[in-house]
Every structure is written in structure tokens, then in C-alpha cells.
Amino acid sequence: MKPHHWPWTFLAFTTLGSVTALVGVAALFGLMNGVHPLFNDGTAAGLALIVTAIALFLAGAFPLVLRRLAEREGA
């Protein structure tokens, strides 16, 4: 059986999404106040970062699904 390799784009987007999600949650809880003026309104900035993290996770899932489909076809 052939070993499965993670696409580097999946790893990059997942890493960026994880960091963005952590910063978004921190902004929601007010831990980012004073870091940047945009973070002083924690709710809006936190929600925007969490939505961005979801988009990054979806962007990372796309090459992973393509890789899995290619492996299923035998390419």
C-alpha cells in the first residue's frame, strides 16, 4: 500500500487557519486589547478573524481532497 502524503498547501493553510483562529478567540475574550487599535473592539475583530480562519481551513481542504481523489483514481 502506498503511503499517503499531506499536500504542503494543506499544511500551510491549516497552520495559518489555526493561528488565525487562536488570535480570533483571544480577541473575542478581550486578550488582544491594546495590541492594535482594531483589536480594541474585540467582538468585530474576533469574528472577522474566525471567519478568516474558516476560509483558510476550506482553502487547505481543497488540495487535500484533490490529492485523495487522485490517489483513488490511481494517479
Side-chain angles (χ1 to χ4, degrees):
M1 190 167 189
K2 194 165 116 178
H4 298 286
H5 297 286
W6 300 100
W8 67 269
T9 51
F10 168 75
L11 297 174
F13 280 121
T14 302
T15 302
L16 289 172
S18 299
V19 171
T20 306
L22 288 174
V23 173
V25 170
L28 279 177
F29 287 116
L31 300 174
M32 301 298 289
N33 290 346
V35 174
H36 192 275
L38 292 175
F39 288 129
N40 290 337
D41 180 24
T43 305
L47 288 176
L49 286 170
I50 289 173
V51 168
T52 302
I54 292 169
L56 286 168
F57 288 136
L58 291 174
F62 185 72
L64 181 66
V65 169
L66 289 179
R67 168 73 58 96
R68 298 291 183 210
L69 288 174
E71 287 175 355
R72 184 178 293 173
E73 290 290 324

